[in-house]
Amino acid sequence: MTTTGADHATAVTGPWWWSRWRSAVLDGALALVSALECGAEGIPFARDAGVPLSAGIVFGLLAGSVLLLRRKWPIAVVLVSIAITPAQMGFLMGIVGLYTLAAAELPRRIIVALAGMSLLGTMIVTFVRVKQDMARGDLTLGDWFVPFAAVTTSLGLTAPPLLLGLYVGARRRLMESLRERADSLERELQLLAERAEERAEWARGEERTRIAREMHDVVAHRVSLMVVHAAALQAVARKDPEKAVRNAALVGDMGRQALTELREMLGVLRSGESTQRRTASSASSAAVPLAAVGVAAAVAASRVAEEEGPWLSELEELIGQSAAAGMAVDLSVEGEVRSYAVQIEQTAYRVVQEALTNVHKHAAGAKTHVRLAHRGVEIAMQVENEPPPEPASAASVGLPSGGNGLLGMRERVLGLGGVFVSGPTDAGGFRVSAVIPAV
């Protein structure tokens, strides 16, 4: 984890206002050197001002030690250095004070104003001192040297520390900004990772639900027909051996079809698992989001399902299987027959298949009507059965019910933006209706 500006500001390990002991030692050393410099410069100042030497030395020591406060009050340090400039004291304090002022988080107008005051004060003092030296004969240069010395000295003592401080301050602010951006990016990456985990978990749940629905639709119908044929085989085994043989053949065919479809579903699962392992291994080396695993498995399963159907053109075969099991069922088709998207055809087929399975389970022997309507922008289907001739016939067959058939049909239809309605009829039967948009 990187350290944000707020965390860095609160991580204070030094004394008083210093963030680190190293900064405190550096400021203490600079203040000591500045105090010794100002104390030494206080001796000629005391002679010129006509005050005791001890007073000049003490004044210089106190003025120079103000540099200790440069990080806390940089404006005060610069003002003191400007104030003692006429006494020719505090050169080090002026340079360090201007650098600290320029590097601090202060308004630019304050920095420019104080730097201008320091430049003007140094220029005036240098001009006066050089003028006096030339008047005493200490310097024999021309009059041009006085303004030249004043300008160059003031610029030399003001411009370098000011520019260096501005550069260091800008660099510090840039580093803080980059650190904050890095922390913000890290937090965003953590949120994205959490959301990827949530999406992967959601994708896994959706895939489990879809696989469970597919296996229910594929296996339940075949097994229901097998149970119905087995019951019929038991009933006619002694009375009509030829019919018993036909029913036994039908049971075998249904079992083989159920095993084939179950094997195809298991193959999809195995291919999804291998894809998941390959994606997970690549994710460990390339940091692929976890959501890609679920997506890869879902894409593989969907691709296999799209290639294998089922299709609406297979409805007659489906109804023929139910008729062979003893159900009186008829199919009516309205509108112009045309092809639809894979998901639409699969959903329509599964709705009819599950409705017929429910008739086998709960209304064995009831006459059933299957209606399919091809409309302009939608396809509609309805499966309605009449009351069973013998209310106890369903129980005699012994077909279990898990209660997931209607729920699966509803989920399929609503997932495509359609409408699904199911419920008992006034005549005592049951009706399942669904409308699916064709686009």
Side-chain angles (χ1 to χ4, degrees):
M1 291 291 291
T2 56
T3 305
T4 61
D7 296 337
H8 179 73
T10 56
V12 178
T13 59
W16 296 341
W17 56 83
W18 287 283
S19 60
R20 293 174 295 180
W21 277 98
R22 186 175 62 181
S23 301
V25 172
L26 176 62
D27 289 355
L30 290 175
L32 178 61
V33 174
S34 178
L36 293 177
E37 177 204 354
C38 293
E41 293 169 346
I43 297 175
F45 168 71
R47 291 173 181 173
D48 295 341
V51 297
L53 292 179
S54 59
I57 294 174
V58 171
F59 174 75
L61 292 174
L62 292 176
S65 62
V66 176
L67 189 59
L68 189 67
L69 308 175
R70 73 181 187 97
R71 296 180 191 268
K72 185 70 173 177
W73 295 298
I75 296 178
V77 173
V78 175
L79 289 176
V80 171
S81 67
I82 295 173
I84 62 177
T85 298
Q88 290 188 322
M89 293 182 183
F91 294 103
L92 177 63
M93 182 169 60
I95 294 174
V96 177
L98 283 175
Y99 164 78
T100 307
L101 179 71
E105 297 289 340
L106 293 173
R108 288 296 178 88
R109 60 178 182 275
I110 296 178
I111 297 176
V112 172
L114 292 177
M117 292 172 59
S118 178
L119 175 67
L120 183 61
T122 305
M123 185 182 299
I124 293 174
V125 170
T126 305
F127 184 88
V128 172
R129 289 295 182 179
V130 174
K131 189 72 173 178
Q132 291 176 352
D133 292 341
M134 293 187 67
R136 288 195 301 266
D138 296 339
L139 294 175
T140 57
L141 298 174
D143 294 339
W144 61 270
F145 183 73
V146 177
F148 175 77
V151 172
T152 54
T153 302
S154 59
L155 287 177
L157 295 177
T158 304
L162 182 66
L163 295 178
L164 181 61
L166 290 175
Y167 167 75
V168 171
R171 184 176 180 275
R172 184 184 302 157
R173 288 188 291 271
L174 176 62
M175 296 302 295
E176 289 292 332
S177 175
L178 292 177
R179 186 181 295 113
E180 291 178 358
R181 290 178 62 183
D183 291 336
S184 176
L185 180 60
E186 185 173 0
R187 288 191 294 269
E188 290 180 0
L189 289 177
Q190 289 179 349
L191 291 176
L192 289 176
E194 293 176 359
R195 292 177 182 175
E197 289 283 355
E198 294 176 358
R199 288 196 297 268
E201 184 63 30
W202 176 83
R204 286 191 291 268
E206 288 293 319
E207 187 63 14
R208 285 193 297 267
T209 302
R210 191 189 69 83
I211 292 173
R213 189 166 55 237
E214 286 289 338
M215 295 189 71
H216 175 273
D217 293 341
V218 169
V219 178
H221 179 74
R222 302 294 184 190
V223 175
S224 298
L225 292 179
M226 290 172 61
V227 173
V228 172
H229 282 293
L233 176 62
Q234 183 180 4
V236 302
R238 296 180 180 179
K239 298 179 181 179
D240 191 351
E242 295 181 0
K243 187 174 182 181
V245 171
R246 290 195 301 271
N247 287 341
L250 288 174
V251 171
D253 292 339
M254 293 294 176
R256 282 187 290 272
Q257 291 177 6
L259 286 175
T260 301
E261 293 176 345
L262 183 60
R263 189 179 297 112
E264 291 173 355
M265 290 298 302
L266 294 177
V268 171
L269 292 177
R270 290 195 184 96
S271 64
E273 290 175 358
S274 62
T275 303
Q276 181 176 355
R277 284 195 296 269
R278 291 194 300 269
T279 308
S281 62
S282 62
S284 60
S285 59
V288 177
L290 293 179
V293 179
V295 173
V299 169
S302 299
R303 184 167 56 250
V304 174
E306 289 179 0
E307 293 175 355
E308 298 180 356
W311 312 102
L312 284 176
S313 58
E314 302 174 10
L315 275 182
E316 293 184 359
E317 180 182 355
L318 176 68
I319 293 174
Q321 294 172 355
S322 296
M327 177 187 295
V329 55
D330 61 79
L331 172 65
S332 63
V333 180
E334 301 175 3
E336 182 181 356
V337 178
R338 63 182 187 276
S339 60
Y340 299 92
V342 176
Q343 291 183 341
I344 296 176
E345 292 214 11
Q346 289 180 355
T347 301
Y349 182 92
R350 295 302 187 192
V351 168
V352 176
Q353 182 187 53
E354 180 60 28
L356 293 177
T357 302
N358 288 340
V359 174
H360 283 292
K361 289 181 180 180
H362 307 290
K367 187 175 182 179
T368 306
H369 306 277
V370 179
R371 299 180 180 89
L372 185 66
H374 299 274
R375 299 170 184 171
V377 294
E378 62 187 13
I379 178 174
M381 65 227 63
Q382 183 182 89
V383 179
E384 181 179 351
N385 63 274
E386 299 177 359
E390 299 180 6
S393 60
S396 63
V397 175
L399 288 171
S401 177
N404 296 318
L406 293 177
L407 179 62
M409 286 189 286
R410 179 181 298 274
E411 290 176 351
R412 286 179 178 275
V413 174
L414 295 182
L416 296 178
V419 179
F420 179 84
V421 178
S422 63
T425 62
D426 296 336
F430 198 84
R431 180 188 298 118
V432 173
S433 301
V435 179
I436 304 175
V439 181

